[in-house]
Every structure is written in structure tokens, then in C-alpha cells.
Amino acid sequence: MTQHTTGSNDRGVSESIGFLLMFGIVITGIALVVLYGYPMLLQQQTSADEKIMEKNMIVLQNDFKSLAYKTVPFKETSMKIGGGSLTVFNSGHTPASTTIDIYDAGGTSYLPAPYNGGLPFTPGELRYESISSQTDISLQNGAVVMRRHIEPGSTMLAEPRWFFDPATNTMVINLFEITSTDMKAKEGIGTVQMELVGDPYYKESPVPTNGVVIIKCVFDSTQDYSVAWDDYIWNKWSIPATYKGSRFVTAGPPKDIQY
């Protein structure tokens, strides 16, 4: 009978190989999680932050409506601002991201004073800029619009209170002007305070028979929301074809839409 004796050196080699195998499996698992799992977690967090801010901007839009239509003097809303910053650009900010002008074929302005002296209306905006997803969400002139930096175009997430009644040829356009003492930005957990300044101004401008009304929206090339507003006015208003005038979007900055 042959007897085999295991030495201490053999046992040491066996334990070392087992440890190296287990250590290699653990390191490989961590590497796979870092390589595939972590980017997915970041992407999900970025998407969650964007969805949260979409809802937050609609909440701020409702605050606008309360101030303008219900004459609530003051609104305060606390919210989480993740993945970017929320900045207020007042109506006097240069360059203006959006200007609106309304006039007839003869050049007579339908805007309230002081804009009816030839100056276009500059609404200003509350803009959320996401660093991680490269997305802007803007509350401008009562509407919530979104644009992505990496692709052309824009989308309207919540429509403004603009109306057109083809039966009576009545067009209702509500203009909001955002004013602020200076440019302000918030990140993380922030509180947005808004106050109604002055009284709402109402202006009724009858259009002569067979008259032409031109709504001209001009967008800065770095904040181009022309596709969203063009789709809203052109397709959502159900304007009869006989009422539709010439419209165009210029190839270069600034973007210009006329109706």
C-alpha cells in the first residue's frame, strides 16, 4: 500500500489559488457594476430629475395662473431642483430669449402700452437648465416648453391660455411679463416666490373687416423654442385655412415666425 503525505507547502498553494479566484470574481463583479450598472443608475437619476422639474414647472405655471386670473397677491412654492439650476431671466434681460409682436397690415400695434409704441413684448422666463441631460425647460409667457441641446426642435409641455374662436373671429392672447431686481438662480432645495405687480391690463382691439392680424414671435438662436410655438399656434388653434397667412422660420438667427 502506497501512502501519500500532504505537506504544508501544498496546502498553502491550494489556499492561495482559492483566494485569488475569489478575489478575481469579486473584482470582476465590481468592474461589471461600475462599467454597466453605474451609468444606468446615473441615467435613471438624470431622467428622474428631468421628470420632477417638468412637474415643478407646471406647478409654477399654475402659480402664474393664480396670480394673473385669480388675483392672488403672492405665491410661494418650495421644490427640489436636481441635476441643474433654475434661473429667472427678467423681461429686460439681453438678449431676450423671446419677443412677441402683434400688429395689423398697416403696422398698427395691438400690444398694450408701453409696447404699442413700436417695441415688441419681452415676457422674460423662468428657465431650468440641466447640466447632466443637456435640457432646458422654460416657463415663458404662460407656457412650459422644453428643448434639448443635442438635437434641434422643441416641445410644448403645457399650453398657455391663448384662444381663438373662428365663429366670432375672436382671439384672446394673454401676455405675462416676468420682472426681477436682478438675475437669480437656485439649486438643490429652493423656494420660488412670486408677487403680482400692478393690476392686470385688458385691451380689446377690434380688427377691420377683411383685416390682417400678424403675430410675430422672434427667438434667440441659443434659446430656440420656435418649433413648439409654431406647432401650438398652427395646429392646436384649428385656424381655418382661409385665415392662415404666410408663415416662415428664417434659416439663421434669430428665428422668426409670423402668422
Side-chain angles (χ1 to χ4, degrees):
M1 182 177 65
T2 303
Q3 184 177 3
H4 177 74
T5 304
T6 303
S8 58
N9 292 336
D10 294 335
R11 290 195 297 270
V13 169
S14 177
E15 291 177 359
S16 298
I17 293 175
F19 173 77
L20 290 176
L21 289 174
M22 292 300 296
F23 183 76
I25 292 173
V26 171
I27 294 300
T28 302
I30 294 174
L32 290 173
V33 169
V34 173
L35 183 62
Y36 296 103
Y38 187 64
M40 292 180 62
L41 291 175
L42 289 179
Q43 184 177 3
Q44 291 180 355
Q45 182 62 47
T46 299
S47 178
D49 290 338
E50 185 178 315
K51 293 297 182 183
I52 290 173
M53 283 308 301
E54 288 181 14
K55 296 178 181 179
N56 287 340
M57 297 299 278
I58 293 176
V59 170
L60 294 178
Q61 181 196 39
N62 291 328
D63 289 347
F64 263 62
K65 293 178 181 178
S66 297
L67 292 170
Y69 306 126
K70 300 178 182 179
T71 62
V72 176
F74 182 83
K75 292 290 291 186
E76 180 178 283
T77 301
S78 297
M79 61 183 61
K80 177 185 177 183
I81 306 169
S85 61
L86 180 65
T87 307
V88 55
F89 295 87
N90 62 45
S91 58
H93 179 75
T94 304
S97 60
T98 307
T99 62
I100 300 173
D101 205 353
I102 307 173
Y103 52 92
D104 60 18
T108 301
S109 176
Y110 292 145
L111 295 175
Y115 299 99
N116 56 8
L119 297 175
F121 178 76
T122 53
E125 63 174 323
L126 284 173
R127 185 194 306 165
Y128 167 73
E129 297 176 295
S130 174
I131 301 173
S132 51
S133 65
Q134 295 294 295
T135 301
D136 292 346
I137 304 177
S138 174
L139 172 58
Q140 54 179 245
N141 204 50
V144 180
V145 290
M146 180 177 69
R147 60 179 290 272
R148 300 188 185 278
H149 298 182
I150 59 177
E151 58 188 21
S154 54
T155 305
M156 184 168 289
L157 303 178
E159 299 176 355
R161 295 190 64 174
W162 290 19
F163 307 99
F164 175 73
D165 182 9
T168 59
N169 295 340
T170 301
M171 183 181 297
V172 178
I173 296 178
N174 296 297
L175 301 176
F176 294 87
E177 183 179 14
I178 298 177
T179 60
S180 175
T181 54
D182 51 15
M183 180 181 289
K184 299 177 181 178
K186 291 184 178 293
E187 297 179 354
I189 303 298
T191 301
V192 179
Q193 299 175 333
M194 294 186 289
E195 180 183 4
L196 179 63
V197 179
D199 297 324
Y201 184 86
Y202 303 95
K203 181 176 181 180
E204 181 177 351
S205 302
V207 179
T209 305
N210 298 325
V212 175
V213 176
I214 299 174
I215 304 175
K216 184 177 182 180
C217 305
V218 179
F219 302 88
D220 183 73
S221 59
T222 61
Q223 290 294 320
D224 180 16
Y225 301 99
S226 58
V227 174
W229 282 96
D230 182 68
D231 178 70
Y232 169 67
I233 295 178
W234 194 252
N235 298 320
K236 298 296 180 65
W237 272 11
S238 299
I239 299 178
T242 54
Y243 291 4
K244 294 178 180 178
S246 61
R247 64 163 186 164
F248 61 91
V249 179
T250 58
K255 294 297 183 66
D256 188 343
I257 302 178
Q258 290 191 175
Y259 303 90

